[in-house]
């Protein structure tokens, strides 16, 4: 049977959103313990034998691209903990439907891998960096690796990566005094900085609304320092709204907590063990590993993916926003029972 969905009208969900972006988590393990994501020292990891092989990831990515996905982001956990990641990059780049292949990393091991990733065909890197202060980095992540992260950013530039982004989660009372410093640092590095509101996703067991430094506050603080800030026009499905400073610097804000972008959300997430989630807040996913390992054909996989997407009506961040009493989304006991509910398993 021919693949029914290739090159036909874009696949849409219940709200008319296209299936376009796929985030692939290649490991649930991470070498940092960021307070807003993985505050515990110990976690229950996905069983190793259940992790998708590179060949399996390639096969699933191909099923998605047959349905219209054209941009893929490798994430984790920390994706650079997965051995030979550049080999996976090379395999995915062989797929002619991929327009954009990006990596989200905490940068700790980036210096060692930047050149191999570039040579393998990786297009872009987003690096998470919440502070420019080494002592604060240690307090926030539980690890003494700030210099390695900064070295990783430089190595990425040396390896030829351009258009690098720096993502900073801003938590009130933790790093909200570094907004301008981070922007200035981004300018020096030729990297666009994006400020992320603290989200109450699974894993964020220390979350509370009063710790969220909002989009409105970010804009107010930065306009006091820089003058008039104007939005960059142009509709996009990208999560960040982009803004322009008077000196021409562009930065982004990902305001999932106070200004959710569910109505434009075209992304879904594949975990390292092949569970597919249609929303960061979804409690249930679709197991794609099981049919894949049972020998499902490409058409059977695309049919399963297409029918799940067509039923998609998730708008988790919007639903969270209207909750009257908003606390931690998933408690620690529930997270221990199902690690798939963790942000580090879903890939952020
Ligand atoms: N280890 C990689 C990294 O640090 O970029 C990739 C995985 S990490 C889960 C992906 C992104 O999710 C990071 O930018 C991280 O800051 C963000 N993130 C994790 N927990 C978050 C939360 N509670 N609120 C907002 N962003 C969060």
């Amino acid at each position: 049977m021919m693949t029914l969905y290739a090159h036909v009208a874009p696949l849409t969900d219940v709200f008319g959103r296209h299936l376009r972006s796929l985030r692939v988590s290649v490991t649930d393990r991470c070498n940092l313990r960021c307070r807003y994501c993985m505050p515990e020292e110990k976690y229950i990891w996905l069983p190793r034998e259940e992790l998708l092989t590179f060949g399996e990831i390639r096969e699933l990515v191909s099923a998605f691209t047959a349905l219209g996905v054209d941009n893929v982001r490798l994430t984790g956990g920390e994706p650079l903990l997965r051995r030979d990641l550049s080999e996976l990059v090379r395999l995915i780049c062989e797929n002619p439907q991929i327009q954009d292949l990006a990596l989200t990393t905490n940068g700790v091991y980036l210096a060692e891998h930047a050149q191999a990733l570039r040579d393998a065909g990786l297009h872009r890197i987003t690096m998470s960096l919440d502070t420019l202060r080494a002592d604060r980095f240690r307090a926030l992540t539980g690890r003494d690796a700030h210099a390695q992260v900064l070295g990783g950013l430089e190595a990425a530039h040396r390896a030829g990566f351009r258009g690098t982004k720096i993502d900073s989660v801003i938590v009130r009372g933790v790093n909200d005094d570094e907004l301008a410093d981070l922007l200035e640092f981004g300018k020096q590095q030729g990297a666009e900085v994006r400020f992320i509101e603290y989200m109450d996703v699974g894993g964020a067991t220390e979350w509370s609304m009063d710790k969220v430094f909002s989009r409105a506050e970010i804009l107010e603080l930065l306009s006091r320092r820089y003058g008039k800030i104007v939005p960059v026009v142009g509709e996009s499905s990208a999560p960040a709204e982009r803004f322009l400073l008077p000196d021409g610097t562009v930065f982004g804000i990902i305001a999932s907590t106070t200004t959710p972008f569910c109505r434009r959300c075209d992304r879904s997430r594949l975990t390292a063990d092949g569970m597919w989630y249609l929303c960061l807040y979804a409690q249930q996913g679709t197991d794609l590993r099981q049919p894949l390992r049972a020998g499902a054909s490409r058409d059977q996989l695309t049919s399963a993916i297409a029918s799940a997407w067509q039923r998609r009506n998730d708008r988790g961040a919007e639903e969270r926003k209207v909750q009257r009493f908003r606390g931690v989304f998933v408690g620690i006991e529930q997270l221990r029972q199902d690690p798939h509910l963790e942000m580090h398993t879903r890939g952020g």
Side-chain angles (χ1 to χ4, degrees):
M1 198 171 89
M2 293 255 303
T3 299
L4 289 174
Y5 300 96
H7 310 299
V8 294
L11 191 66
T12 51
D13 72 2
V14 169
F15 298 128
R17 298 169 296 188
H18 293 174
L19 174 67
R20 260 203 81 204
S21 310
L22 181 68
R23 303 174 79 96
V24 179
S25 172
V26 294
T27 177
D28 55 328
R29 293 175 188 249
C30 192
N31 46 346
L32 299 184
R33 288 291 176 274
C34 299
R35 306 286 330 158
Y36 54 74
C37 186
M38 296 182 79
E40 309 289 313
E41 196 50 48
K42 289 204 180 337
Y43 284 89
I44 296 161
W45 306 115
L46 300 175
R48 272 183 194 278
E49 65 282 6
E50 292 183 4
L51 299 189
L52 299 177
T53 64
F54 287 170
E56 289 171 329
I57 295 176
R58 173 176 55 182
E59 180 53 28
L60 288 179
V61 167
S62 299
F64 280 98
T65 58
L67 290 165
V69 164
D70 60 8
N71 69 78
V72 172
R73 177 172 293 277
L74 301 177
T75 177
E78 171 46 40
L80 293 178
L81 292 182
R82 181 87 189 236
R83 192 177 299 173
D84 298 328
L85 188 71
S86 52
E87 178 55 17
L88 178 64
V89 167
R90 196 184 59 70
L91 289 176
I92 295 178
C93 282
E94 284 171 3
N95 181 331
Q97 271 136 331
I98 299 285
Q99 301 292 313
D100 186 33
L101 179 64
L103 172 77
T104 299
T105 173
N106 61 32
V108 175
Y109 292 129
L110 189 54
E112 285 153 55
H113 298 287
Q115 194 61 59
L117 291 165
R118 179 79 185 155
D119 295 345
L122 184 71
H123 300 146
R124 291 187 304 117
I125 292 179
T126 299
M127 214 184 74
S128 301
L129 177 66
D130 305 320
T131 177
L132 297 174
R133 306 187 193 172
D135 56 335
R136 198 173 263 186
F137 182 93
R138 195 179 316 114
L140 187 59
T141 68
R143 304 288 186 269
D144 208 355
H146 195 246
Q148 276 167 268
V149 174
L150 299 186
L153 190 61
E154 282 169 22
H157 195 265
R158 271 198 308 281
F161 285 105
R162 298 293 178 267
T164 298
K165 295 201 169 78
I166 295 176
D167 279 2
S168 310
V169 178
I170 305 301
V171 181
R172 188 183 310 282
V174 173
N175 61 348
D176 53 331
D177 55 350
E178 286 194 68
L179 296 182
D181 292 348
L182 285 161
L183 274 187
E184 293 301 319
F185 177 74
K187 277 192 223 175
Q188 279 165 24
Q189 303 290 321
E192 187 172 316
V193 174
R194 305 188 308 174
F195 299 114
I196 306 179
E197 285 181 353
Y198 188 10
M199 294 175 71
D200 57 346
V201 283
T205 49
E206 298 180 352
W207 186 92
S208 61
M209 195 65 205
D210 58 306
K211 292 187 192 149
V212 177
F213 199 77
S214 70
R215 167 189 183 277
E217 290 171 291
I218 293 170
L219 288 173
E220 199 208 310
L221 190 149
L222 290 175
S223 39
R224 263 189 270 128
R225 156 88 187 242
Y226 290 102
K228 193 171 158 60
I229 296 176
V230 291
V232 174
V233 281
E235 258 302 293
S236 133
S237 63
E241 278 178 273
R242 298 171 82 226
F243 298 91
L244 191 65
L245 296 181
D247 69 0
T249 305
V250 173
F251 68 97
I253 302 180
I254 302 179
S256 317
T257 304
T258 68
T259 323
F261 50 91
C262 300
R263 65 200 56 211
R264 289 180 288 125
C265 180
D266 63 4
R267 58 187 54 77
S268 63
R269 300 176 158 79
L270 185 67
T271 64
D273 64 346
M275 289 295 294
W276 181 45
Y277 289 92
L278 306 184
C279 177
L280 208 41
Y281 288 92
Q283 303 266 335
Q284 308 290 334
T286 305
D287 183 356
L288 296 177
R289 183 189 76 246
Q290 194 276 331
L292 181 69
R293 291 199 175 161
S297 66
R298 172 76 56 82
D299 285 325
Q300 285 168 326
L301 290 171
T302 53
S303 297
I305 295 168
S307 67
W309 188 264
Q310 282 161 334
R311 280 182 275 121
R312 178 188 192 237
N313 62 1
D314 303 70
R315 40 186 203 89
E318 285 179 355
E319 284 168 0
R320 290 295 295 160
K321 193 185 164 188
V322 296
Q323 297 260 316
R324 218 152 145 228
F325 303 105
R326 192 168 174 179
V328 167
F329 179 52
V330 190
I332 188 71
E333 288 312 321
Q334 207 187 339
L335 289 170
R336 283 189 184 128
Q337 277 162 29
D338 187 0
H340 289 101
L341 298 172
E342 296 272 8
M343 177 78 144
H344 68 262
T345 309
R346 302 241 170 139

